[in-house]
Amino acid sequence: AQKVTQAQTEISVVEKEDVTLDCVYETRDTTYYLFWYKQPPSGELVFLIRRNSFDEQNEISGRYSWNFQKSTSSFNFTITASQVVDSAVYFCALSEAFGANSKLTFGKGITLSVRP
Amino acid sequence: IAGITQAPTSQILAAGRRMTLRCTQDMRHNAMYWYRQDLGLGLRLIHYSNTAGTTGKGEVPDGYSVSRANTDDFPLTLASAVPSQTSVYFCASSPGSNEQFFGPGTRLTVL
């Protein structure tokens, strides 16, 4: 069975601090996909990134970066120089092989509060 | 319509009543999903449909039913609502590339 663990439940930082959100996953599949979604206070789910299990390259997008390490089954998300607008709930998710059977298993989410 | 729409936006319902949450997408995606979001539990899959005419059970299907008569619509029905079904419900669709596109959600309160 698939499982996603986000051990941190709430994180509070001061603006401009860097913050890392941890994600650990379990799966028996050799091919899988990992995701991060952001849920701002307005409630919608915003897609941030998708990685497949064959691509362990780290990715950077502006102030966001992701570190995927298969050896530790982790897919951590770092926000550099955090801003108040980064305040949200962040979900890590896992899905099995490509195709219509791409049901997502979500972690419980991390509530990030960025204080001015 | 652009993307995924859900209706109603929010609803307060008496226990025992029947309720259908609507979900429509205009992206011609084959796969559609219903999740519920509860504080401290994240999102959990209720039911899914890989293509029109087929449906499957997710992690928490009890008390819910779905149908998929066509590609665009994927309604979720609570036959007899109970307070434990108070939640925020998200519909999602996928073209089969593993990325899922989510609707805005329906906030349901069962009293």
Side-chain angles (χ1 to χ4, degrees), chain A residues 12-26:
Chain A
S12 181
V13 299
V14 177
E15 207 170 18
K16 297 184 183 177
E17 284 185 25
D18 299 347
V19 57
T20 295
L21 310 181
D22 298 333
C23 175
V24 174
Y25 63 92
E26 296 175 31

Side-chain angles (χ1 to χ4, degrees), chain A residues 46-102:
Chain A
V46 178
F47 167 82
L48 295 178
I49 190 171
R50 177 187 66 197
R51 304 295 287 181
N52 72 55
S53 52
F54 298 111
D55 184 359
E56 286 193 73
Q57 275 193 325
N58 292 334
E59 180 154 341
I60 298 174
S61 176
R63 297 184 296 106
Y64 295 172
S65 62
W66 291 269
N67 183 275
F68 176 27
Q69 293 198 353
K70 288 180 75 171
S71 61
T72 55
S73 297
S74 65
F75 187 44
N76 297 336
F77 173 30
T78 297
I79 301 174
T80 302
S82 59
Q83 300 176 1
V84 172
V85 294
D86 296 326
S87 296
V89 181
Y90 290 86
F91 292 99
C92 180
L94 168 71
S95 80
E96 54 195 0
F98 183 95
N101 292 317
S102 55

Side-chain angles (χ1 to χ4, degrees), chain B residues 78-95:
Chain B
L78 290 67
S80 179
V82 295
S84 61
Q85 292 177 310
T86 294
S87 187
V88 180
Y89 292 86
F90 286 97
C91 179
S93 71
S94 173

Side-chain angles (χ1 to χ4, degrees), chain A residues 33 35 37 39 42-45 47 50 89 91 95-109, chain B residues 30-31 33 35 37 40-45 48-50 57-58 90 94 96-104:
Chain A
Y33 292 78
F35 302 79
Y37 284 86
Q39 187 176 44
S42 52
E44 74 272 22
L45 284 158
F47 167 82
R50 177 187 66 197
V89 181
F91 292 99
S95 80
E96 54 195 0
F98 183 95
N101 292 317
S102 55
K103 301 180 289 292
L104 287 171
T105 298
F106 283 85
K108 295 182 179 180
Chain B
N30 282 325
Y33 310 84
Y35 296 87
Q37 182 181 11
L41 296 177
L43 282 83
R44 293 178 293 168
L45 182 66
Y48 65 94
S49 169
N50 289 333
K57 294 181 180 180
F90 286 97
S94 173
S97 62
N98 291 87
E99 181 177 347
Q100 293 189 15
F101 298 82
F102 285 83

Side-chain angles (χ1 to χ4, degrees), chain A residues 39 43 45 91, chain B residues 6-13 19 21 34-46 60 62-64 76 78 81-91 104-111:
Chain A
Q39 187 176 44
L45 284 158
F91 292 99
Chain B
Q6 292 184 235
T9 301
S10 66
Q11 181 75 43
I12 298 174
L13 189 66
M19 177 72 191
L21 308 185
W34 275 106
Y35 296 87
R36 59 176 289 173
Q37 182 181 11
D38 303 291
L39 192 63
L41 296 177
L43 282 83
R44 293 178 293 168
L45 182 66
I46 305 171
V60 288
D62 294 343
Y64 305 95
L76 176 74
L78 290 67
V82 295
S84 61
Q85 292 177 310
T86 294
S87 187
V88 180
Y89 292 86
F90 286 97
C91 179
T106 293
R107 184 174 296 275
L108 180 67
T109 302
V110 183
L111 301 175

